[in-house]
Amino acid sequence: MNVVKHPIKRSIVFFLVPDFTMVAFATALDPLRIANRMLGYEAYRWRLASLDGKPVPASNGVECAVNTSLEDERRKMAGPDRPSMAVVCTGMNVEKYHNKSVFAWLREEYNRGVAIGGLCTGAYVLASAGLLSNKRCAIHWENLPGFQEAFPKANVFADLFEVDQNIYTCAGGTAALDMMLKLIGEDFDDNLVNRICEQVLTDRVRSPTDRQRLPLRARLGVQNSKVLTIIELMEANLSEPLSLIEIADHVGLSRRQIERLFRTEMGRSPARYYLEIRLDRARHLLIQSSMPVVEVAVACGFVSASHFSKCYRELYARSPQQERVDRKQLIAA
């Protein structure tokens, strides 16, 4: 009796970086397990790796055991155990991660034809390795401002996931599920993907360009379309803020009407709201990047570092410099 041998579709190495996000890792790995179960054979294989082969703590404090070290993976590159895909799993504090050996390994794997992926904030590691120049990529919305400033050559989007040739990136959370389901769909068909969706209790695979965040209407609880249009204009013009006259011309309202609308809908003046979202972006840049304070100020539309510091202190009750100190102490703890 002949036994049918099914080929392995993909072998994947998940490289875990300390403080990786568990939900992104789990929703990337489990669809592979379910696919194998549905197919009745091992179409997907995976192993977990870390820098030294020791367990890696996730951002929730849970330690995850691994199968191999970076040194092991380097030895496997030239043999039959070379993976078809290497996925970097990261999360918090990724902007501080710098390991030349890991970067070199990723580049070599990519040059050998291995697909490279990044979950959650993994695009930081891929960009640091020099793999995202002129490539489309996705990253969690919270990390987008700092990433854009740190890697201007990368084409980063606030999408759920991006696939550019042999580079796969996703924004983390449940977006990892959507990216892996797309990959499984390419390997097999929609029938298998639909069966996996039923198992994990989701009704569909979301499009790569679906929103990471709730729409403004839901996020802010605002229904007025003119106010929403104005806020979208503000969010798109943070480094070079528009004047109220320019905003008024764009939406076809008078300055007085805009002032009245914002007082009613947002409980503050449009100028105050615009200032707050610029300072919110500045806070993300201070936390996620090593940009000098004066450059953060310019990137967020302030004409001077002193004016920026004054506004920042008034809103957050600490200076931009103190924000950085507090963040470093939190990471160290």
Side-chain angles (χ1 to χ4, degrees), residues 29-182:
L29 190 150
D30 241 29
L32 305 176
R33 175 190 65 81
I34 297 170
N36 286 348
R37 177 185 167 208
M38 295 294 175
L39 292 165
Y41 66 92
E42 191 180 49
Y44 297 99
R45 287 180 183 168
W46 57 86
R47 59 180 179 261
L48 312 185
S50 68
L51 184 63
D52 54 9
K54 295 179 181 178
V56 183
S59 58
N60 61 9
V62 175
E63 283 202 341
C64 188
V66 301
N67 309 106
T68 61
S69 66
L70 181 62
E71 185 178 347
D72 295 330
E73 290 302 325
R74 295 189 72 87
R75 283 197 293 265
K76 293 176 184 293
M77 278 197 294
D81 290 330
R82 187 178 76 195
S84 57
M85 188 174 194
V87 179
V88 179
C89 308
T90 62
M92 297 174 62
N93 306 322
V94 68
E95 65 276 2
K96 306 294 184 183
Y97 186 79
H98 187 84
N99 189 292
K100 291 183 179 179
S101 296
V102 172
F103 300 158
W105 168 65
L106 289 170
R107 286 193 298 270
E108 191 168 350
E109 292 280 27
Y110 180 74
N111 291 335
R112 288 173 179 264
V114 174
I116 303 297
L119 304 183
C120 192
T121 57
Y124 257 101
V125 177
L126 272 55
S128 297
L131 295 175
L132 293 184
S133 291
N134 301 314
K135 289 282 197 301
R136 292 178 64 92
C137 61
I139 199 167
H140 193 279
W141 63 264
E142 196 173 31
N143 299 86
L144 189 62
F147 183 88
Q148 285 177 316
E149 296 294 338
F151 304 103
K153 291 183 179 180
N155 299 321
V156 64
F157 296 89
D159 294 340
L160 293 182
F161 63 92
E162 283 287 346
V163 180
D164 192 334
Q165 296 179 332
N166 225 18
I167 300 286
Y168 295 73
T169 51
C170 78
T174 56
L177 172 65
D178 299 288
M179 187 174 78
M180 281 301 184
L181 288 175
K182 176 177 171 58

Side-chain angles (χ1 to χ4, degrees), residues 239-281:
S239 60
E240 297 182 7
L242 301 173
S243 69
L244 192 53
I245 293 176
E246 290 173 312
I247 293 173
D249 288 343
H250 193 280
V251 297
L253 296 174
S254 68
R255 293 178 59 181
R256 189 183 297 274
Q257 286 174 314
I258 293 175
E259 291 277 0
R260 189 162 51 245
L261 273 175
F262 263 74
R263 293 288 182 188
T264 302
E265 297 285 344
M266 307 304 297
R268 52 174 80 65
S269 70
R272 179 65 186 180
Y273 186 83
Y274 208 168
L275 175 64
E276 288 176 2
I277 61 175
R278 286 160 56 209
L279 289 170
D280 181 65
R281 177 184 173 87

